[in-house]
Coordinates of all heavy atoms in Angstrom, one line a residue:
A133 N -151.9 165.3 -96.1 CA -151.1 166.4 -96.7 C -151.2 166.4 -98.2 O -150.8 167.3 -98.8 CB -149.7 166.3 -96.2
G134 N -151.9 165.4 -98.8 CA -152.0 165.3 -100.2 C -152.9 166.4 -100.8 O -152.8 166.7 -102.0
N135 N -153.7 167.0 -100.0 CA -154.6 168.1 -100.4 C -153.9 169.4 -100.5 O -154.4 170.4 -101.0 CB -155.8 168.2 -99.5 CG -156.6 166.9 -99.4 OD1 -156.2 166.0 -98.8 ND2 -157.7 166.8 -100.1
L136 N -152.7 169.5 -99.8 CA -152.0 170.8 -99.6 C -151.0 171.0 -100.8 O -150.4 170.0 -101.2 CB -151.3 170.8 -98.3 CG -152.2 170.8 -97.1 CD1 -151.4 170.7 -95.8 CD2 -153.2 171.9 -97.0
K137 N -150.9 172.2 -101.1 CA -149.9 172.6 -102.1 C -148.8 173.4 -101.4 O -148.9 173.8 -100.3 CB -150.5 173.5 -103.2 CG -151.5 172.7 -104.0 CD -151.9 173.6 -105.2 CE -152.9 172.7 -106.1 NZ -153.2 173.4 -107.3
K138 N -147.6 173.5 -102.1 CA -146.5 174.2 -101.4 C -146.8 175.6 -101.0 O -146.2 176.1 -100.1 CB -145.3 174.2 -102.4 CG -144.7 172.8 -102.5 CD -143.5 172.8 -103.4 CE -142.9 171.4 -103.6 NZ -141.7 171.4 -104.3
T139 N -147.7 176.3 -101.7 CA -148.0 177.7 -101.4 C -149.1 177.8 -100.3 O -149.3 178.9 -99.8 CB -148.5 178.4 -102.7 OG1 -149.7 177.7 -103.2 CG2 -147.5 178.5 -103.7
D140 N -149.7 176.7 -99.9 CA -150.7 176.7 -98.8 C -150.0 176.9 -97.5 O -148.9 176.5 -97.2 CB -151.5 175.4 -98.8 CG -152.4 175.2 -100.0 OD1 -152.6 176.2 -100.8 OD2 -152.8 174.1 -100.3
M141 N -150.8 177.5 -96.6 CA -150.3 177.7 -95.2 C -151.4 177.1 -94.3 O -152.6 177.3 -94.5 CB -150.1 179.1 -94.8 CG -149.0 179.8 -95.6 SD -149.0 181.6 -95.4 CE -150.2 182.1 -96.6
I142 N -151.0 176.3 -93.3 CA -152.0 175.6 -92.4 C -151.7 176.0 -91.0 O -150.6 176.1 -90.6 CB -152.0 174.1 -92.6 CG1 -153.1 173.4 -91.8 CG2 -150.6 173.5 -92.3 CD1 -153.3 172.0 -92.1
F143 N -152.8 176.4 -90.3 CA -152.8 176.8 -88.9 C -153.7 175.9 -88.1 O -154.9 175.7 -88.5 CB -153.2 178.2 -88.7 CG -152.4 179.2 -89.6 CD1 -152.8 179.6 -90.9 CD2 -151.2 179.7 -89.1 CE1 -152.1 180.4 -91.6 CE2 -150.4 180.6 -89.9 CZ -150.9 180.9 -91.2
R144 N -153.2 175.3 -87.0 CA -154.0 174.5 -86.2 C -154.7 175.4 -85.1 O -154.0 175.9 -84.3 CB -153.2 173.4 -85.5 CG -154.0 172.4 -84.7 CD -153.1 171.3 -84.2 NE -153.9 170.3 -83.6 CZ -153.5 169.1 -83.2 NH1 -152.2 168.8 -83.3 NH2 -154.3 168.3 -82.6
L145 N -156.0 175.4 -85.1 CA -156.7 176.3 -84.2 C -157.1 175.5 -82.9 O -157.3 176.1 -81.9 CB -158.0 176.8 -84.9 CG -157.8 177.6 -86.2 CD1 -159.1 178.0 -86.8 CD2 -156.9 178.8 -86.0
S146 N -157.3 174.2 -83.1 CA -157.7 173.4 -81.9 C -157.3 172.0 -82.4 O -156.9 171.7 -83.5 CB -159.1 173.5 -81.6 OG -160.0 172.8 -82.5
P147 N -157.4 171.0 -81.5 CA -157.1 169.6 -81.9 C -157.8 169.1 -83.1 O -157.3 168.3 -83.9 CB -157.5 168.8 -80.6 CG -157.3 169.7 -79.5 CD -157.8 171.1 -80.0
L148 N -159.0 169.6 -83.4 CA -159.8 169.1 -84.5 C -160.2 170.3 -85.5 O -161.1 170.1 -86.3 CB -161.1 168.4 -84.0 CG -160.8 167.2 -83.2 CD1 -162.1 166.6 -82.7 CD2 -160.0 166.1 -84.0
S149 N -159.6 171.4 -85.4 CA -159.9 172.5 -86.2 C -158.7 173.2 -86.8 O -157.7 173.5 -86.1 CB -160.7 173.6 -85.4 OG -161.1 174.7 -86.1
Y150 N -158.7 173.3 -88.2 CA -157.6 173.9 -88.9 C -158.0 175.0 -89.8 O -159.1 175.0 -90.3 CB -156.9 172.8 -89.8 CG -156.3 171.7 -89.0 CD1 -157.1 170.6 -88.6 CD2 -155.0 171.7 -88.6 CE1 -156.6 169.6 -87.9 CE2 -154.4 170.6 -87.9 CZ -155.2 169.6 -87.5 OH -154.7 168.6 -86.8
L151 N -157.1 176.0 -90.0 CA -157.3 177.0 -91.0 C -156.3 176.9 -92.0 O -155.1 176.8 -91.7 CB -157.2 178.4 -90.3 CG -157.1 179.6 -91.2 CD1 -158.5 179.8 -91.9 CD2 -156.8 180.9 -90.4
V152 N -156.7 176.8 -93.3 CA -155.8 176.6 -94.4 C -155.9 177.8 -95.3 O -157.0 178.1 -95.8 CB -156.1 175.3 -95.2 CG1 -155.1 175.1 -96.4 CG2 -156.1 174.1 -94.3
V153 N -154.8 178.5 -95.6 CA -154.8 179.6 -96.5 C -154.2 179.2 -97.8 O -153.1 178.6 -97.8 CB -154.0 180.8 -95.9 CG1 -153.9 181.9 -96.8 CG2 -154.5 181.2 -94.5
C154 N -155.0 179.4 -98.9 CA -154.6 178.9 -100.2 C -154.6 180.0 -101.2 O -155.6 180.3 -101.8 CB -155.6 177.8 -100.7 SG -155.8 176.4 -99.6
P155 N -153.4 180.7 -101.3 CA -153.3 181.9 -102.2 C -153.6 181.5 -103.7 O -153.1 180.5 -104.2 CB -151.9 182.3 -102.1 CG -151.4 181.7 -100.8 CD -152.2 180.5 -100.6
G156 N -154.5 182.3 -104.3 CA -154.8 182.1 -105.7 C -155.8 181.1 -106.0 O -156.2 180.9 -107.2
A157 N -156.3 180.3 -105.1 CA -157.3 179.3 -105.3 C -158.7 179.8 -105.4 O -159.1 180.7 -104.6 CB -157.2 178.2 -104.3
E158 N -159.5 179.3 -106.3 CA -160.9 179.6 -106.4 C -161.7 178.7 -105.5 O -161.3 177.6 -105.3 CB -161.3 179.5 -107.9 CG -160.7 180.4 -108.9 CD -161.1 181.8 -108.7 OE1 -162.2 182.1 -108.3 OE2 -160.2 182.7 -108.8
P159 N -162.9 179.2 -105.0 CA -163.7 178.4 -104.1 C -164.0 177.0 -104.7 O -163.9 176.0 -103.9 CB -164.9 179.2 -104.0 CG -164.5 180.6 -104.2 CD -163.4 180.5 -105.2
E160 N -164.3 176.9 -105.9 CA -164.6 175.5 -106.5 C -163.4 174.6 -106.5 O -163.5 173.4 -106.2 CB -165.3 175.6 -107.9 CG -165.8 174.3 -108.4 CD -166.8 173.6 -107.4 OE1 -167.6 174.4 -106.8 OE2 -166.8 172.4 -107.3
Q161 N -162.3 175.2 -106.8 CA -161.0 174.4 -106.7 C -160.8 173.9 -105.3 O -160.4 172.7 -105.1 CB -159.8 175.3 -107.1 CG -159.7 175.7 -108.5 CD -158.6 176.7 -108.8 OE1 -158.4 177.6 -108.0 NE2 -157.9 176.5 -109.9
L162 N -161.0 174.7 -104.3 CA -160.9 174.3 -102.9 C -161.8 173.2 -102.5 O -161.5 172.2 -101.9 CB -161.0 175.5 -102.0 CG -159.9 176.5 -102.1 CD1 -160.3 177.7 -101.2 CD2 -158.6 176.0 -101.8
R163 N -163.1 173.3 -103.0 CA -164.1 172.3 -102.7 C -163.7 170.9 -103.3 O -163.9 169.9 -102.7 CB -165.5 172.7 -103.2 CG -166.1 173.8 -102.3 CD -167.5 174.2 -102.8 NE -168.0 175.3 -101.9 CZ -167.8 176.6 -102.2 NH1 -167.1 176.9 -103.3 NH2 -168.3 177.5 -101.4
Q164 N -163.1 170.9 -104.5 CA -162.6 169.7 -105.1 C -161.4 169.2 -104.4 O -161.3 168.0 -104.1 CB -162.3 169.9 -106.6 CG -163.6 170.1 -107.4 CD -164.5 168.9 -107.3 OE1 -164.0 167.7 -107.4 NE2 -165.7 169.1 -107.1
R165 N -160.4 170.0 -104.1 CA -159.2 169.6 -103.4 C -159.5 169.0 -102.0 O -158.8 168.1 -101.6 CB -158.2 170.8 -103.2 CG -157.4 171.1 -104.5 CD -156.5 172.3 -104.3 NE -155.7 172.2 -103.1 CZ -155.1 173.3 -102.6 NH1 -155.2 174.5 -103.2 NH2 -154.3 173.2 -101.5
F166 N -160.4 169.6 -101.3 CA -160.7 169.2 -99.9 C -162.0 168.4 -99.8 O -162.6 168.3 -98.8 CB -160.7 170.4 -99.0 CG -159.3 171.0 -98.9 CD1 -159.1 172.2 -99.6 CD2 -158.3 170.5 -98.1 CE1 -157.8 172.8 -99.5 CE2 -157.1 171.1 -98.0 CZ -156.8 172.2 -98.7
K167 N -162.4 167.8 -100.9 CA -163.6 166.9 -100.9 C -163.5 165.8 -99.9 O -164.5 165.4 -99.2 CB -163.8 166.4 -102.3 CG -165.1 165.8 -102.6 CD -165.2 165.4 -104.1 CE -166.6 165.0 -104.5 NZ -166.6 164.7 -105.9
G168 N -162.3 165.2 -99.8 CA -162.1 164.2 -98.8 C -160.8 164.5 -98.1 O -159.8 164.8 -98.7
I169 N -160.8 164.5 -96.8 CA -159.7 164.9 -96.0 C -159.4 163.7 -95.0 O -160.3 163.2 -94.4 CB -159.9 166.2 -95.2 CG1 -160.2 167.3 -96.1 CG2 -158.8 166.5 -94.2 CD1 -160.6 168.6 -95.4
Y170 N -158.1 163.3 -95.0 CA -157.7 162.3 -94.1 C -156.6 162.8 -93.1 O -155.6 163.3 -93.6 CB -157.1 161.1 -94.9 CG -158.1 160.6 -95.9 CD1 -158.1 161.0 -97.2 CD2 -159.1 159.7 -95.5 CE1 -159.0 160.5 -98.1 CE2 -160.0 159.2 -96.4 CZ -160.0 159.6 -97.7 OH -160.9 159.1 -98.6
V171 N -156.9 162.8 -91.9 CA -156.0 163.2 -90.9 C -155.8 162.1 -89.8 O -156.7 161.3 -89.6 CB -156.4 164.5 -90.2 CG1 -156.4 165.7 -91.1 CG2 -157.8 164.4 -89.5
Q172 N -154.6 162.0 -89.3 CA -154.4 161.0 -88.2 C -154.7 161.6 -86.9 O -154.1 162.6 -86.5 CB -152.9 160.6 -88.3 CG -152.6 159.5 -87.4 CD -151.1 159.0 -87.5 OE1 -150.4 159.6 -88.3 NE2 -150.8 158.0 -86.8
I173 N -155.7 161.0 -86.2 CA -156.1 161.5 -84.9 C -156.3 160.3 -84.0 O -156.4 159.1 -84.4 CB -157.4 162.3 -85.0 CG1 -158.5 161.5 -85.7 CG2 -157.2 163.6 -85.7 CD1 -159.9 162.1 -85.7
R174 N -156.4 160.5 -82.7 CA -156.6 159.5 -81.7 C -158.0 159.1 -81.5 O -158.3 158.0 -81.1 CB -155.9 159.8 -80.4 CG -154.4 159.9 -80.5 CD -153.8 160.2 -79.2 NE -152.3 160.3 -79.4 CZ -151.5 160.4 -78.5 NH1 -151.9 160.4 -77.2 NH2 -150.2 160.5 -78.7
T175 N -158.9 160.1 -81.8 CA -160.3 159.8 -81.6 C -161.0 159.7 -83.0 O -160.5 160.3 -83.9 CB -161.0 160.9 -80.8 OG1 -160.8 162.2 -81.4 CG2 -160.4 161.0 -79.4
L176 N -162.1 159.1 -83.1 CA -162.8 159.0 -84.4 C -163.7 160.1 -84.6 O -164.5 160.5 -83.8 CB -163.6 157.7 -84.3 CG -164.4 157.3 -85.6 CD1 -163.4 157.1 -86.8 CD2 -165.2 156.1 -85.4
V177 N -163.5 160.8 -85.8 CA -164.3 161.9 -86.2 C -165.0 161.4 -87.5 O -164.4 161.0 -88.4 CB -163.5 163.2 -86.5 CG1 -164.4 164.3 -87.0 CG2 -162.8 163.6 -85.2
L178 N -166.3 161.5 -87.5 CA -167.1 160.9 -88.6 C -167.5 162.0 -89.7 O -167.9 161.6 -90.8 CB -168.3 160.2 -88.1 CG -168.1 159.0 -87.2 CD1 -169.4 158.5 -86.7 CD2 -167.3 158.0 -87.9
D179 N -167.4 163.2 -89.3 CA -167.8 164.2 -90.3 C -166.9 165.5 -90.1 O -166.3 165.7 -89.1 CB -169.2 164.6 -89.9 CG -169.9 165.4 -91.1 OD1 -169.3 165.5 -92.2 OD2 -171.0 165.9 -90.8
Y180 N -166.8 166.3 -91.2 CA -166.1 167.5 -91.1 C -166.9 168.5 -91.9 O -167.7 168.2 -92.7 CB -164.7 167.4 -91.6 CG -164.6 167.2 -93.1 CD1 -164.4 168.3 -93.9 CD2 -164.6 165.9 -93.7 CE1 -164.3 168.1 -95.3 CE2 -164.5 165.8 -95.1 CZ -164.3 166.9 -95.9 OH -164.2 166.7 -97.2
E181 N -166.6 169.8 -91.7 CA -167.2 170.9 -92.4 C -166.1 171.7 -93.1 O -165.1 172.0 -92.5 CB -168.0 171.7 -91.5 CG -168.7 172.9 -92.1 CD -169.6 173.7 -91.1 OE1 -169.6 173.3 -89.9 OE2 -170.2 174.6 -91.6
L182 N -166.4 172.1 -94.4 CA -165.4 172.9 -95.1 C -166.1 174.3 -95.3 O -167.2 174.4 -95.8 CB -165.1 172.3 -96.5 CG -164.3 173.1 -97.4 CD1 -162.9 173.2 -96.8 CD2 -164.2 172.4 -98.8
R183 N -165.4 175.3 -94.8 CA -165.9 176.7 -95.0 C -164.9 177.4 -95.9 O -163.7 177.3 -95.6 CB -166.1 177.4 -93.7 CG -167.1 176.7 -92.8 CD -167.2 177.4 -91.5 NE -168.1 176.7 -90.6 CZ -168.4 177.1 -89.4 NH1 -168.0 178.3 -89.0 NH2 -169.2 176.4 -88.6
V184 N -165.3 178.1 -96.9 CA -164.5 178.8 -97.8 C -164.8 180.3 -97.8 O -165.9 180.7 -97.8 CB -164.6 178.3 -99.2 CG1 -163.8 179.1 -100.2 CG2 -164.3 176.8 -99.3
H185 N -163.7 181.1 -97.6 CA -163.9 182.6 -97.7 C -162.8 183.1 -98.7 O -161.6 182.7 -98.6 CB -163.6 183.2 -96.3 CG -163.6 184.7 -96.4 ND1 -164.8 185.4 -96.3 CD2 -162.6 185.6 -96.6 CE1 -164.5 186.7 -96.4 NE2 -163.2 186.8 -96.6
T186 N -163.3 183.8 -99.7 CA -162.4 184.3 -100.7 C -162.0 185.8 -100.4 O -162.9 186.6 -100.1 CB -163.0 184.3 -102.1 OG1 -163.4 183.0 -102.4 CG2 -162.1 184.8 -103.2
V187 N -160.7 186.1 -100.3 CA -160.2 187.4 -100.1 C -160.0 188.0 -101.5 O -159.2 187.5 -102.3 CB -158.9 187.4 -99.3 CG1 -158.4 188.8 -99.2 CG2 -159.2 186.8 -97.9
T188 N -160.7 189.1 -101.7 CA -160.6 189.8 -103.1 C -160.0 191.1 -103.0 O -159.8 191.8 -104.0 CB -162.0 189.9 -103.7 OG1 -162.9 190.6 -102.8 CG2 -162.6 188.5 -104.0
Q189 N -159.8 191.6 -101.8 CA -159.3 193.0 -101.6 C -158.3 193.1 -100.5 O -158.5 192.5 -99.4 CB -160.5 193.9 -101.3 CG -160.2 195.4 -101.4 CD -161.5 196.2 -101.2 OE1 -162.5 195.7 -100.8 NE2 -161.4 197.5 -101.5
L190 N -157.2 193.8 -100.8 CA -156.2 194.0 -99.8 C -156.3 195.5 -99.3 O -156.7 196.3 -100.1 CB -154.8 193.7 -100.3 CG -154.6 192.2 -100.7 CD1 -153.3 192.0 -101.3 CD2 -154.8 191.3 -99.4
P191 N -156.0 195.8 -98.1 CA -155.4 195.0 -97.1 C -156.4 194.0 -96.6 O -157.6 194.3 -96.6 CB -154.9 195.9 -96.0 CG -155.8 197.1 -96.2 CD -156.1 197.2 -97.7
L192 N -155.9 192.9 -96.1 CA -156.8 191.8 -95.5 C -157.4 192.3 -94.2 O -156.7 192.8 -93.3 CB -155.9 190.6 -95.3 CG -156.6 189.4 -94.6 CD1 -157.7 188.8 -95.5 CD2 -155.6 188.3 -94.3
Q193 N -158.7 192.1 -94.1 CA -159.4 192.5 -92.9 C -159.7 191.2 -92.1 O -160.7 190.5 -92.4 CB -160.7 193.2 -93.2 CG -160.4 194.6 -93.8 CD -161.7 195.2 -94.2 OE1 -162.8 194.7 -94.2 NE2 -161.6 196.5 -94.7
L194 N -158.8 190.8 -91.2 CA -158.9 189.5 -90.6 C -160.2 189.3 -89.8 O -160.8 188.2 -89.8 CB -157.7 189.3 -89.7 CG -157.5 187.9 -89.2 CD1 -157.4 186.9 -90.3 CD2 -156.2 187.8 -88.4
N195 N -160.7 190.4 -89.2 CA -161.9 190.3 -88.4 C -163.1 189.9 -89.3 O -164.0 189.1 -88.9 CB -162.3 191.6 -87.7 CG -161.4 191.9 -86.5 OD1 -160.8 190.9 -86.0 ND2 -161.2 193.1 -86.1
R196 N -163.1 190.4 -90.5 CA -164.2 190.1 -91.5 C -164.1 188.6 -91.9 O -165.1 187.9 -92.0 CB -164.1 191.0 -92.7 CG -165.3 190.8 -93.6 CD -165.3 191.8 -94.7 NE -166.4 191.4 -95.7 CZ -166.3 191.5 -96.9 NH1 -165.3 192.1 -97.5 NH2 -167.3 191.1 -97.7
V197 N -162.9 188.2 -92.2 CA -162.6 186.8 -92.6 C -163.1 185.9 -91.5 O -163.9 184.9 -91.7 CB -161.2 186.6 -93.0 CG1 -160.9 185.1 -93.2 CG2 -160.7 187.4 -94.2
W198 N -162.7 186.2 -90.3 CA -163.0 185.3 -89.2 C -164.5 185.3 -89.0 O -165.1 184.2 -88.7 CB -162.3 185.8 -87.9 CG -162.4 184.8 -86.8 CD1 -163.1 184.9 -85.7 CD2 -161.7 183.6 -86.7 NE1 -162.9 183.8 -84.9 CE2 -162.1 183.0 -85.5 CE3 -160.8 182.9 -87.6 CZ2 -161.5 181.8 -85.1 CZ3 -160.3 181.7 -87.2 CH2 -160.7 181.2 -86.0
S199 N -165.2 186.4 -89.0 CA -166.7 186.4 -88.8 C -167.4 185.6 -89.9 O -168.4 185.0 -89.7 CB -167.2 187.8 -88.7 OG -167.1 188.5 -89.9
D200 N -166.9 185.7 -91.2 CA -167.5 184.9 -92.3 C -167.3 183.4 -92.1 O -168.1 182.7 -92.5 CB -166.9 185.4 -93.6 CG -167.4 186.7 -94.1 OD1 -168.4 187.3 -93.4 OD2 -166.9 187.3 -95.0
L201 N -166.2 183.0 -91.5 CA -165.9 181.6 -91.3 C -166.7 181.0 -90.1 O -166.9 179.8 -90.0 CB -164.4 181.4 -91.1 CG -163.6 181.6 -92.3 CD1 -162.1 181.5 -91.9 CD2 -163.9 180.7 -93.4
L202 N -167.1 181.9 -89.2 CA -167.9 181.4 -88.0 C -169.3 181.2 -88.4 O -170.1 180.6 -88.4 CB -167.8 182.3 -86.8 CG -166.3 182.5 -86.3 CD1 -166.4 183.5 -85.2 CD2 -165.8 181.2 -85.8

């Protein structure tokens, strides 16, 4: 949780998949903040992938965000 700020929102999508919404953060800031992630799990995971999508226009089009993250 050291990587998270008070304004961040985290959603658990599956046992090993999370969506983190970080209002106002730039992509490079996110890459630095989440350069190393530590989570407590029962199985060993050796690698993770960080995908960043920047929302620049409202209203938010969730389908577009989701397709960019996949």
